Amino acid sequence: MITSDTLLKIIENMGNTIKENKDYLTELDSKIGDSDHGINMDKGFSAVLEKLPSLKGEDCGTILKTVAMVLISKVGGASGPLYGTAFLKAATAVQDKMEINEEDVISIFDEAIKGVKMRGKAEKGDKTMLDALIPAYEAFKESIEKGQDMVKASYNAQKAAHEGVEYTKEIVARKGRASYLGERSIGHQDPGATSSYLLLKTIWETLDEI
Ligand SMILES: Nc1ncnc2c1ncn2[C@@H]1O[C@H](COP(=O)(O)OP(=O)(O)OP(=O)(O)O)[C@@H](O)[C@H]1O
Ligand SMILES: [Mg+2]
C-alpha cells in the first residue's frame, strides 16, 4: 500500500531528483531541442515542492491533481502540459483514496499514458517520454501479475524505462522540436524520456527506502 504520506514523499523526492538533474536534462535538450528541458522541469517541480506542505492530509487524487495544475500553470514548454495532463489523468484513477494498492498504481500508469497520448498525439517509437513510460507500465503490470510486490515492480518499471531511454538513441524523432532534425536526431537520447526515467527511478528508490 502507498499512503498519501508516502505519495507526498515520492513527489518531494521527484522534485529533488529533477533539481539535481536540471543541467543534465538541459544538456540533452541542447542536442536535439532548445536547451530548456531541465529548466522547464525544475521550474515546474520547484513550484510543486513549495505547494507540498499544504497538501498534507489530503487524499491521493487531490495531491496528484494539485501537482498537475501546478505543472500546467508554471511550465511553458511542451513538457509542462504533457506531464500535467499525465498527473491530472492519474488523479482520476485514485479520487478520494488515502491509500493506493498495486491495481491503483496500474490504473495511474494507464491513465497517465492515455493522457500524454491524447495531449501530444504521439505513440511509442516517436522518441518521446512515451518510450520510457510505456515499457515501464508494461513491466510494472507484468511484475504485479506475477505476484511480485510494489518495490520489485517499480524496480522493473524503472529498469524498462532506462532501456526505453537507450532505445530513443536509435530512432528518429517524430514529435516536438526534435522532429525538425529528422535523421540527425539519431544518436541522441530523448530528454523527456530521460526525465520520465528519472521520475520512475525516484518512485522505486522511495518505495525501497520505506
Ligand atoms: N507530442 C509529444 N508527445 C509526447 N512527448 C513529447 C511530445 N513533444 C515533445 N515531447 C517530449 O517533451 C520533451 C521536450 O520537453 P521540453 O521541456 O524541452 O519542451 P519544449 O522545448 O517545448 O518541447 P519540444 O521542443 O519537444 O516541442 C521531448 O524530449 C519529448 O520527450
Ligand atoms: Mg525544449
Side-chain angles (χ1 to χ4, degrees), residues 18 21-30 33-45 75 77-80 82-83 129 189-199:
I18 292 298
N21 288 279
K22 180 181 174 185
D23 293 344
Y24 170 55
L25 292 172
T26 293
E27 168 73 22
L28 292 174
D29 198 29
S30 75
D34 54 353
S35 312
D36 64 355
H37 188 56
I39 297 166
N40 289 338
M41 292 297 287
D42 184 51
K43 193 170 172 206
F45 273 92
V75 187
S79 57
L82 286 164
Y83 275 116
M129 57 180 75
Q189 84 189 53
D190 181 62
T194 309
S195 57
S196 286
Y197 155 65
L198 291 169
L199 296 176

Coordinates of all heavy atoms in Angstrom, one line a residue, residues 18 21-30 33-45 75 77-80 82-83 129 189-199:
I18 N 14.8 16.1 -10.0 CA 14.7 17.0 -11.1 C 15.7 18.1 -10.9 O 16.5 18.5 -11.8 CB 13.3 17.5 -11.4 CG1 12.4 16.4 -11.8 CG2 13.3 18.7 -12.4 CD1 12.7 15.7 -13.1
N21 N 19.2 17.0 -11.5 CA 19.4 16.6 -12.9 C 19.1 17.8 -13.9 O 19.0 17.5 -15.1 CB 18.7 15.4 -13.3 CG 19.3 14.1 -12.7 OD1 20.3 13.6 -13.2 ND2 18.8 13.7 -11.5
K22 N 18.9 18.9 -13.4 CA 18.4 20.1 -14.2 C 19.4 20.3 -15.4 O 19.0 20.4 -16.5 CB 18.3 21.3 -13.3 CG 17.9 22.6 -14.0 CD 17.9 23.7 -13.0 CE 17.6 25.0 -13.8 NZ 17.7 26.2 -12.9
D23 N 20.7 20.4 -15.0 CA 21.7 20.7 -16.1 C 21.8 19.6 -17.1 O 22.0 19.8 -18.3 CB 23.0 21.0 -15.5 CG 23.0 22.3 -14.7 OD1 22.0 23.1 -14.9 OD2 23.9 22.6 -13.8
Y24 N 21.8 18.3 -16.5 CA 21.9 17.2 -17.4 C 20.7 17.1 -18.4 O 21.0 16.9 -19.6 CB 21.9 15.9 -16.5 CG 21.7 14.6 -17.2 CD1 22.6 14.2 -18.2 CD2 20.7 13.7 -16.9 CE1 22.5 13.0 -18.9 CE2 20.6 12.5 -17.5 CZ 21.4 12.1 -18.5 OH 21.3 10.9 -19.1
L25 N 19.5 17.4 -18.0 CA 18.4 17.3 -18.9 C 18.4 18.5 -19.9 O 18.1 18.3 -21.1 CB 17.0 17.4 -18.1 CG 16.7 16.2 -17.2 CD1 15.5 16.5 -16.3 CD2 16.5 15.0 -18.0
T26 N 18.9 19.6 -19.5 CA 19.0 20.7 -20.4 C 20.1 20.5 -21.4 O 20.0 20.8 -22.6 CB 19.3 22.0 -19.6 OG1 18.2 22.3 -18.8 CG2 19.6 23.2 -20.4
E27 N 21.2 19.8 -21.0 CA 22.3 19.5 -21.9 C 21.8 18.5 -23.0 O 22.1 18.6 -24.1 CB 23.4 18.8 -21.0 CG 24.5 18.1 -21.8 CD 25.5 19.0 -22.5 OE1 25.5 20.2 -22.1 OE2 26.1 18.6 -23.4
L28 N 20.9 17.5 -22.6 CA 20.4 16.6 -23.5 C 19.5 17.4 -24.5 O 19.5 17.1 -25.7 CB 19.5 15.5 -22.8 CG 20.3 14.5 -22.0 CD1 19.3 13.6 -21.2 CD2 21.2 13.6 -22.8
D29 N 18.7 18.3 -24.0 CA 17.8 19.1 -24.9 C 18.6 20.0 -25.8 O 18.1 20.4 -26.9 CB 16.8 19.9 -24.0 CG 15.6 20.3 -24.8 OD1 15.2 19.6 -25.8 OD2 15.0 21.4 -24.4
S30 N 19.8 20.3 -25.4 CA 20.6 21.2 -26.3 C 21.0 20.5 -27.6 O 21.3 21.1 -28.6 CB 21.9 21.7 -25.6 OG 22.8 20.7 -25.5
G33 N 17.0 19.8 -29.1 CA 15.8 20.7 -28.9 C 16.3 22.1 -28.7 O 17.2 22.6 -29.4
D34 N 15.8 22.8 -27.7 CA 16.1 24.2 -27.5 C 16.7 24.4 -26.1 O 16.5 25.5 -25.6 CB 14.8 25.0 -27.7 CG 13.7 24.5 -26.9 OD1 13.8 23.5 -26.2 OD2 12.6 25.2 -26.8
S35 N 17.3 23.5 -25.5 CA 18.1 23.6 -24.3 C 17.3 24.1 -23.1 O 17.8 25.0 -22.3 CB 19.3 24.6 -24.5 OG 20.0 24.3 -25.6
D36 N 16.1 23.6 -23.0 CA 15.3 24.1 -21.8 C 14.6 23.0 -21.0 O 13.9 23.3 -20.1 CB 14.2 25.2 -22.3 CG 13.2 24.6 -23.2 OD1 13.3 23.4 -23.6 OD2 12.2 25.3 -23.6
H37 N 14.8 21.8 -21.4 CA 14.0 20.7 -20.7 C 14.3 20.7 -19.2 O 13.3 20.6 -18.4 CB 14.2 19.4 -21.3 CG 13.3 18.3 -20.7 ND1 11.9 18.5 -20.8 CD2 13.5 17.1 -20.1 CE1 11.3 17.4 -20.2 NE2 12.3 16.6 -19.8
G38 N 15.5 20.8 -18.8 CA 15.8 20.8 -17.3 C 15.3 22.0 -16.7 O 14.8 22.0 -15.5
I39 N 15.4 23.1 -17.4 CA 14.9 24.4 -16.8 C 13.3 24.3 -16.6 O 12.8 24.7 -15.6 CB 15.3 25.6 -17.8 CG1 16.8 25.7 -17.8 CG2 14.6 26.9 -17.3 CD1 17.3 26.6 -18.9
N40 N 12.7 23.8 -17.7 CA 11.2 23.7 -17.6 C 10.8 22.8 -16.5 O 9.9 23.1 -15.7 CB 10.7 23.1 -18.9 CG 10.7 24.1 -20.1 OD1 10.8 25.3 -19.9 ND2 10.7 23.5 -21.3
M41 N 11.4 21.6 -16.4 CA 11.0 20.6 -15.4 C 11.3 21.2 -14.0 O 10.5 21.0 -13.0 CB 11.8 19.3 -15.6 CG 11.4 18.6 -16.9 SD 9.7 18.0 -16.9 CE 9.8 16.7 -15.7
D42 N 12.5 21.8 -13.8 CA 12.8 22.3 -12.5 C 11.9 23.5 -12.1 O 11.5 23.6 -10.9 CB 14.3 22.8 -12.5 CG 14.7 23.2 -11.1 OD1 14.5 22.4 -10.1 OD2 15.2 24.3 -11.0
K43 N 11.5 24.3 -13.0 CA 10.6 25.4 -12.7 C 9.3 24.8 -12.2 O 8.7 25.2 -11.2 CB 10.3 26.2 -14.0 CG 9.6 27.5 -13.8 CD 9.7 28.3 -15.1 CE 8.8 29.5 -14.9 NZ 8.3 30.0 -16.2
G44 N 8.8 23.8 -12.9 CA 7.5 23.1 -12.5 C 7.6 22.4 -11.2 O 6.8 22.6 -10.3
F45 N 8.7 21.6 -11.0 CA 8.8 20.8 -9.8 C 9.2 21.7 -8.6 O 8.8 21.3 -7.4 CB 9.7 19.6 -10.0 CG 8.9 18.4 -10.5 CD1 8.8 18.2 -11.9 CD2 8.2 17.6 -9.6 CE1 8.1 17.1 -12.4 CE2 7.5 16.5 -10.1 CZ 7.4 16.3 -11.5
V75 N 4.8 25.7 -16.3 CA 5.8 25.3 -17.3 C 5.3 25.7 -18.7 O 4.2 25.3 -19.1 CB 6.1 23.8 -17.2 CG1 7.2 23.5 -18.2 CG2 6.4 23.4 -15.8
G77 N 6.9 25.1 -21.7 CA 7.3 24.2 -22.8 C 6.3 23.1 -23.0 O 5.3 23.1 -22.3
A78 N 6.5 22.3 -24.0 CA 5.6 21.1 -24.3 C 5.5 20.2 -23.0 O 4.5 19.6 -22.8 CB 6.2 20.4 -25.5
S79 N 6.6 20.0 -22.3 CA 6.6 19.0 -21.3 C 5.7 19.4 -20.1 O 5.2 18.5 -19.4 CB 8.1 18.8 -20.8 OG 8.6 20.0 -20.3
G80 N 5.5 20.6 -19.8 CA 4.6 21.0 -18.7 C 3.2 20.5 -18.9 O 2.7 19.8 -18.0
L82 N 2.2 18.3 -20.9 CA 2.2 16.8 -21.1 C 2.3 16.1 -19.8 O 1.5 15.3 -19.5 CB 3.4 16.4 -22.0 CG 3.2 16.7 -23.5 CD1 4.5 16.6 -24.2 CD2 2.2 15.8 -24.1
Y83 N 3.3 16.5 -18.9 CA 3.3 15.9 -17.6 C 2.1 16.3 -16.8 O 1.6 15.5 -16.0 CB 4.6 16.3 -16.9 CG 5.8 15.5 -17.2 CD1 6.9 16.0 -17.9 CD2 5.9 14.1 -16.9 CE1 8.1 15.2 -18.2 CE2 7.0 13.3 -17.2 CZ 8.0 13.9 -17.8 OH 9.1 13.1 -18.1
M129 N 8.8 11.0 -24.3 CA 8.7 10.4 -22.9 C 7.9 9.1 -22.9 O 8.1 8.2 -22.0 CB 8.0 11.4 -22.0 CG 6.6 11.9 -22.4 SD 5.9 13.1 -21.3 CE 6.9 14.6 -21.6
Q189 N 19.8 10.8 -27.1 CA 18.7 10.3 -26.3 C 17.7 11.4 -26.0 O 18.1 12.6 -25.9 CB 19.3 9.7 -25.0 CG 19.5 10.6 -23.9 CD 20.3 9.9 -22.7 OE1 21.3 9.3 -22.9 NE2 19.7 10.0 -21.5
D190 N 16.4 11.0 -25.9 CA 15.4 12.0 -25.8 C 15.3 12.5 -24.3 O 15.3 11.8 -23.4 CB 14.0 11.3 -26.1 CG 12.9 12.3 -26.0 OD1 12.9 13.3 -26.7 OD2 12.0 12.2 -25.1
P191 N 15.3 13.9 -24.2 CA 15.3 14.5 -22.9 C 14.1 14.1 -22.1 O 14.2 13.8 -20.9 CB 15.4 16.0 -23.1 CG 15.7 16.2 -24.6 CD 15.5 14.9 -25.3
G192 N 12.9 14.1 -22.7 CA 11.7 13.8 -22.0 C 11.6 12.4 -21.5 O 11.1 12.1 -20.4
A193 N 12.1 11.4 -22.4 CA 12.2 10.0 -21.9 C 13.1 9.9 -20.7 O 12.8 9.2 -19.8 CB 12.7 9.1 -23.1
T194 N 14.2 10.7 -20.7 CA 15.1 10.7 -19.6 C 14.5 11.2 -18.3 O 14.7 10.6 -17.3 CB 16.4 11.5 -20.0 OG1 16.8 11.1 -21.3 CG2 17.5 11.3 -19.0
S195 N 13.8 12.3 -18.4 CA 13.1 12.8 -17.2 C 12.1 11.8 -16.7 O 12.0 11.6 -15.5 CB 12.5 14.2 -17.4 OG 11.6 14.2 -18.4
S196 N 11.4 11.2 -17.6 CA 10.4 10.1 -17.2 C 11.1 9.0 -16.4 O 10.7 8.6 -15.4 CB 9.6 9.6 -18.4 OG 8.7 10.5 -18.8
Y197 N 12.2 8.6 -17.0 CA 13.0 7.5 -16.3 C 13.4 8.0 -14.9 O 13.3 7.2 -14.0 CB 14.2 7.1 -17.2 CG 15.3 6.5 -16.4 CD1 15.2 5.3 -15.8 CD2 16.6 7.2 -16.3 CE1 16.2 4.8 -15.0 CE2 17.6 6.7 -15.5 CZ 17.4 5.5 -14.9 OH 18.4 5.0 -14.1
L198 N 13.9 9.2 -14.8 CA 14.4 9.7 -13.5 C 13.2 9.7 -12.5 O 13.4 9.4 -11.3 CB 15.0 11.1 -13.7 CG 16.4 11.1 -14.4 CD1 16.8 12.5 -14.8 CD2 17.5 10.4 -13.6
L199 N 12.1 10.1 -13.0 CA 10.9 10.2 -12.1 C 10.5 8.8 -11.6 O 10.2 8.5 -10.4 CB 9.7 10.9 -12.7 CG 9.9 12.3 -13.1 CD1 8.7 12.9 -13.8 CD2 10.1 13.2 -11.8

